[in-house]
């Protein structure tokens, strides 16, 4: 009979979630292997066995955030309506941030890079999805639309950050409507080159 696997994917996921919460609320100084292990109900040796080091754990949290974010973006179908697809990506961006606020803050507010040699945020596959969608709307080469894509990213990032900070009043429906209205009012101006 094989030995039971003590450090499984469920524990790895739990450690990533606990670490993302600690990072988003207290920054990197709040993340110690001992504190993360205790919050996850495991041992420091489990953290080392699964991640290798504190720095590798931090990088894994950022990488997991980008992986979850990419999943939300990949759920957006590509249709014959490039402008509609771009709007749908904006909705997916918000949905991802609200579903995983700690990972969102780790990726963007705390700017924890996903490991040595990992690409910057504008070189991540998630940004390339946005850049390519903007290129489709503008019928231009992807490399020519990066400033517009960065502007749109700044718009949705700012709106989502305000919402996550509790600065936009109202219930979920009101906040969603405000997000759609603001993105609809400003987005087209950013697309007018």
């Amino acid at each position: 009979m094989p030995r039971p696997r003590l450090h499984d994917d469920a524990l790895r996921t739990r450690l990533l979630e606990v670490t993302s919460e600690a990072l988003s609320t207290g920054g990197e100084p709040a993340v110690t292997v001992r504190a993360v292990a205790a919050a996850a109900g495991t041992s420091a040796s489990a953290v080392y066995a699964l991640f290798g080091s504190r720095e590798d754990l931090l990088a894994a949290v950022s990488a997991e955030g980008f992986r979850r974010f990419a999943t939300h973006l990949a759920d957006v179908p590509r249709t014959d309506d490039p402008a509609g697809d771009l709007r749908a990506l904006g909705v997916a961006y918000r949905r991802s941030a609200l579903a995983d606020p700690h990972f969102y803050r780790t990726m963007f507010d705390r700017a924890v890079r996903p490991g040595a040699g990992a690409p910057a945020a504008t070189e991540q596959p998630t940004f390339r999805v946005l850049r390519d969608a903007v290129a489709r709307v503008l019928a231009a080469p992807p490399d020519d639309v990066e400033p517009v894509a960065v502007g749109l990213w700044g718009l949705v990032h700012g709106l989502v950050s305000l919402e996550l900070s509790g600065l936009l009043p109202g219930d979920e429906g009101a906040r969603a409507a405000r997000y759609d209205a603001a993105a609809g009012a400003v987005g087209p101006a950013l697309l007018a080159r």
Side-chain angles (χ1 to χ4, degrees):
M1 183 169 175
R3 288 178 61 188
R5 192 165 168 216
L6 299 176
H7 308 312
D8 60 7
D9 289 337
L11 177 58
R12 184 180 192 284
T13 299
R14 177 76 183 128
L15 286 165
L16 291 172
E17 289 171 352
V18 165
T19 305
S20 74
E21 186 171 344
L23 270 168
S24 73
T25 57
E28 284 193 48
V31 178
T32 66
V33 170
R34 185 171 291 162
V36 167
T42 192
S43 66
S45 64
V47 177
Y48 289 118
L50 287 166
F51 297 99
S53 70
R54 176 186 175 274
E55 290 70 30
D56 291 338
L57 172 63
L58 292 171
V61 168
S62 184
E64 176 67 8
F66 278 105
R67 186 197 67 73
R68 291 180 182 201
F69 180 38
T71 298
H72 282 272
L73 296 181
D75 287 344
V76 175
R78 187 172 174 167
T79 70
D80 292 334
D81 178 9
D85 293 351
L86 184 58
R87 284 190 299 276
L89 285 174
V91 170
Y93 187 100
R94 179 178 178 267
R95 187 171 40 251
S96 178
L98 297 179
D100 293 308
H102 298 302
F103 284 102
Y104 179 83
R105 288 183 182 110
T106 298
M107 292 176 346
F108 298 121
D109 294 348
R110 299 292 181 189
V112 175
R113 295 283 301 269
T122 56
E123 297 163 355
Q124 288 282 342
T126 50
F127 181 79
R128 286 197 305 269
V129 168
L130 169 62
R131 187 198 62 203
D132 293 349
V134 170
R136 282 184 65 220
V137 170
L138 297 178
D143 290 340
D144 291 351
V145 301
E146 187 163 312
V148 176
V150 169
L152 288 171
W153 176 29
L155 169 64
V156 297
H157 175 77
L159 292 169
V160 166
S161 295
L162 289 170
E163 184 172 356
L164 288 176
S165 297
L167 297 174
L168 297 180
D171 62 11
E172 164 58 22
R175 290 190 309 270
R178 183 176 288 110
Y179 178 89
D180 290 340
V186 177
L190 292 171
L191 289 166
R193 303 193 307 154

